[in-house]
Amino acid sequence: MTMKINDTTAAATPKYRQVFDYLAEAIEAGIFVPDRRMPSERRLAEELAVNVATVRRAFRDLIAGGIVEKRVGDGTYVLPRPVTENENRINLILSNYEGDTQRELAGLAMREGERLKVACRICYAGKTDLAMQLRSFVRFRQPTVILGDTSVGPEAIREMEKAPELFVVIANRLDHLGIPSVIGNDYAGINILMDFLQRQGHSRIGLLHNNSGHPIENIQIAVWRSRCPAALEPELEFRANVPGGEHPSEYAYYCVLRHLQPGGVTALIALNDELAVGALTAAAELGLPVPEKLALVSVGDTVVGRFANPPLTGLNPNLPEHLHQAFDLLRRNQERRFGPELLRIVEPTLVERRSTMKFLELVH
């Protein structure tokens, strides 16, 4: 194979993308095969008349996509089965912040794969890595489920738009861009929590959130504001300001420690279990322990919430059903790729535990 990286017809394409295309075509053509060392980065750079950094950047996409791997002290090798239309493997991409939800999703995906007799490859990525992975998955047509948190940026979306039938995003709604999505019914979820707390006698119900700007979080905040008469009071909204990729518990702890006032709220909704754990510790230090002086509910129902002290009343988003629907949607859209189904909605359920029990006992 020959290639002119500086050819004027490809001038609009970055050089590393041209090298990526060259390497991908060579793999597809069987020029580079599994278990045989590929040419070194320096040799490829010389052959293609580019610098080594350009070749290295092209390899990053292939490595991120699980197409090739670098073996320390040995070289770069094509991994087995980089096969076009690989319907026997599904990738699950989680954010490189490994929280409880990510770990639970990884386990559920492996079990769903076993049930369907499909291999499941778990990948982790931030915004930059995600776009690189997706570039390889599009090129080698690998079906992929993506946790649609803040790591899904504009570049990743542009890659998915090239072959939307290969992707399903969970916990984010991108169907308006033509990308199949599976989401929980977040409008119903916050209403369920508000109904529950109001039945217990709470009227000043606060909200603790990441302040990420994520579309689903924005929906949850909007529903809370519409249901809480005092929502515009600043002491009721707790913005943890969690940076992307960081653990929420620490930020929630300091946020609640600074802003929670006696009598300010009698109940607090945390939009994930990690936020709730930070709030638990802060409330105890302020002399407002849960559930004696503050009812606390969470969205997530993960292991950390179930085994917190006290265990958290929470909204279970039904993650097994999210994965089941995502895998089924991938299969459906692979079979009918020219008319993809774009949206499925999963209903959450309330699980009552001790973090809300005391207030109910006092009221009655």
Side-chain angles (χ1 to χ4, degrees), residues 68-134:
V68 305
E69 68 173 0
K70 281 194 173 182
R71 300 176 186 174
V72 178
D74 189 4
T76 305
Y77 289 80
V78 177
L79 289 169
R81 296 176 59 187
V83 182
T84 301
E85 302 293 352
N86 185 359
E87 296 179 353
N88 294 317
R89 185 174 80 179
I90 291 177
N91 301 301
L92 172 66
I93 304 180
L94 304 172
S95 57
N96 53 10
Y97 152 61
E98 296 185 48
D100 292 281
T101 298
Q102 285 89 336
R103 283 188 285 273
E104 187 168 350
L105 281 170
L108 290 169
M110 297 301 290
R111 289 194 286 276
E112 184 69 11
E114 289 173 4
R115 187 182 72 82
L116 298 173
K117 296 181 172 56
V118 173
C120 189
R121 176 175 177 257
I122 309 297
C123 315
Y124 296 90
K127 277 189 178 180
T128 303
D129 293 341
L130 179 59
M132 291 191 296
Q133 286 179 335
L134 297 184

Side-chain angles (χ1 to χ4, degrees), residues 45-62:
E46 291 172 354
E47 290 179 357
L48 300 174
V50 297
N51 60 47
V52 173
T54 298
V55 175
R56 187 172 296 130
R57 174 65 180 81
F59 267 124
R60 282 174 58 192
D61 289 18
L62 293 167

Side-chain angles (χ1 to χ4, degrees), residues 8 13 17 27 31 59 77 81 90 97 111-112 143 146 151-152 166 168 214 259 279 297 312 326 352 361 364:
T8 55
T13 304
R17 291 290 301 274
I27 292 169
I31 295 171
F59 267 124
Y77 289 80
R81 296 176 59 187
I90 291 177
Y97 152 61
R111 289 194 286 276
E112 184 69 11
I146 304 167
S151 64
V152 180
L166 292 175
V168 171
H214 191 284
H259 301 295
V297 300
L312 297 173
E352 187 175 359
E361 293 169 4
H364 295 288

Side-chain angles (χ1 to χ4, degrees), residues 203-209 224-225 228-240 252 254-269 279 286 288 294-295:
S203 59
R204 295 183 63 80
I205 301 169
L207 185 74
L208 172 61
H209 59 83
W224 168 74
R225 286 175 178 164
C228 185
L232 295 180
E233 297 180 26
E235 63 266 29
L236 266 67
E237 186 169 353
F238 298 79
R239 298 178 175 90
Y254 287 113
C255 174
V256 173
L257 199 64
R258 286 192 300 268
H259 301 295
L260 182 62
Q261 303 292 328
V265 299
T266 61
L268 183 63
I269 298 172
L286 290 168
L288 299 169
L294 178 71

Side-chain angles (χ1 to χ4, degrees), residues 129-301:
D129 293 341
L130 179 59
M132 291 191 296
Q133 286 179 335
L134 297 184
R135 193 168 297 125
S136 288
F137 294 161
V138 169
R139 182 59 188 254
F140 291 93
R141 298 202 58 80
Q142 295 186 11
T144 301
V145 175
I146 304 167
L147 177 60
D149 57 12
T150 54
S151 64
V152 180
E155 189 176 0
I157 290 172
R158 284 194 294 271
E159 293 297 331
M160 285 188 281
E161 287 174 332
K162 296 173 183 176
E165 73 278 0
L166 292 175
F167 300 102
V168 171
V169 173
I170 59 175
N172 197 351
R173 187 166 183 175
L174 298 178
D175 56 298
H176 61 290
L177 300 175
I179 298 169
S181 306
V182 175
I183 63 168
N185 190 338
D186 295 286
Y187 179 88
I190 299 301
N191 276 309
I192 288 170
L193 293 176
M194 291 296 295
D195 288 343
F196 170 74
L197 291 170
Q198 288 175 347
R199 283 197 303 272
Q200 287 194 325
H202 295 285
S203 59
R204 295 183 63 80
I205 301 169
L207 185 74
L208 172 61
H209 59 83
N210 290 312
N211 201 28
S212 66
H214 191 284
I216 286 179
E217 185 178 76
N218 290 342
I219 291 171
Q220 294 168 321
I221 294 169
V223 175
W224 168 74
R225 286 175 178 164
S226 73
R227 289 293 308 272
C228 185
L232 295 180
E233 297 180 26
E235 63 266 29
L236 266 67
E237 186 169 353
F238 298 79
R239 298 178 175 90
N241 298 321
V242 182
E246 295 293 326
H247 199 288
S249 294
E250 179 180 0
Y251 293 87
Y253 167 78
Y254 287 113
C255 174
V256 173
L257 199 64
R258 286 192 300 268
H259 301 295
L260 182 62
Q261 303 292 328
V265 299
T266 61
L268 183 63
I269 298 172
L271 291 189
N272 61 58
D273 285 352
E274 290 93 343
L275 289 171
V277 167
L280 274 174
T281 304
E285 291 187 16
L286 290 168
L288 299 169
V290 173
E292 288 80 6
K293 294 188 177 181
L294 178 71
L296 181 63
V297 300
S298 180
V299 176
D301 197 35

